[in-house]
Structure formats: structure tokens, C-alpha cells
Amino acid sequence: QVQLVQSGGGSVQAGGSLRLSCAASGYTYSNVCMGWFRQAPGKEREGVAALSIGGGSTYYADFVKGRFTVSQDNAKYTVYLQLNSLKPEDTAMYYCAAHFGDYCGTGLLYSAKLFDYWGQGTQVTVSS
């Protein structure tokens, strides 16, 4: 019943921007940590950012360095990942995921197995 549907991927040149969306249905935005992960060919899936639906706190991987912003739109049951100043090394499949629990923090970016539901992924390609 829980569904996460993603949109907003695409191809951009280095320095460009994209806004990824993750629309959730089948559950309430409460006691949920929404995470963003990415996976490039031949590499492990890595955490990018997370947001606590109940608390509104945000968390980022070190490599983000202010370029990405995670946010939520409760009225539309949607979370976003704003990607700015994109670099070729940002090229990957980007996934949103939902973890049901009382905790949300940077540690969950290294604990993909704790996320219960996943979106279908969307491709982000950055050319030089």
C-alpha cells in the first residue's frame, strides 16, 4: 500500500540544477525519516540527505557541502531534493526511501537497510 513515486531527474551540464520529487502515499508523514540515496554504476549505494517528517530536521552527507537541499511539502505529501552546482561525479540513480521509526539522523545515511520502502529511482546525468 505504501508507494513512493519519484520524478525530476534528467540531464544537465556541470553547474546546472535539478529538483527531484518523491510523492508518498499509503501512510502519514509522521514518525518517518525520509532519505535520499544515490548509486552510480559499479559503486555502492550512498546516502545523500535525510529529513525528519515529524521534527523537520535535515541531515546531509559530507560530500554535499551546501549544494543540495532536502525539504518537504506536507500539504502535497511530497519531499524534494534540490540539486545545485551539479558536478559530473553527481551522476547516478537517485532514490528516495522511507524509514518508519522515532529516529532520524546522519547515521541513517549509512544504514540503507533500515529503510522500509523505496521509490523507483530517477536518473541524474551531469555532463562536463
Side-chain angles (χ1 to χ4, degrees):
Q1 185 175 349
V2 175
Q3 294 183 344
L4 304 177
V5 180
Q6 299 181 229
S7 62
S11 299
V12 298
Q13 296 186 63
S17 298
L18 288 171
R19 188 174 182 85
L20 310 183
S21 299
C22 178
S25 64
Y27 66 94
T28 303
Y29 280 77
S30 180
N31 298 114
V32 176
C33 184
M34 297 296 298
W36 287 93
F37 296 80
R38 70 184 188 183
Q39 187 168 26
K43 296 184 178 180
E44 294 287 329
R45 185 168 298 187
E46 62 180 350
V48 177
L51 180 149
S52 173
I53 296 297
S57 299
T58 58
Y59 310 91
Y60 298 95
D62 290 340
F63 66 77
V64 168
K65 296 186 182 301
R67 297 184 299 123
F68 302 166
T69 303
V70 62
S71 61
Q72 63 179 313
D73 183 343
N74 290 332
K76 298 182 178 180
Y77 309 103
T78 303
V79 295
Y80 305 94
L81 184 65
Q82 179 69 41
L83 309 174
N84 295 326
S85 302
L86 284 164
K87 307 174 182 179
E89 52 262 44
D90 295 318
T91 295
M93 284 287 294
Y94 283 71
Y95 300 87
C96 66
H99 165 70
F100 290 90
D102 296 327
Y103 176 76
C104 191
T106 305
L108 288 182
L109 298 178
Y110 302 92
S111 305
K113 65 181 183 299
L114 296 180
F115 286 79
D116 303 288
Y117 300 96
W118 293 80
Q120 82 279 15
T122 186
Q123 178 68 37
V124 171
T125 301
V126 185
S127 62
S128 60

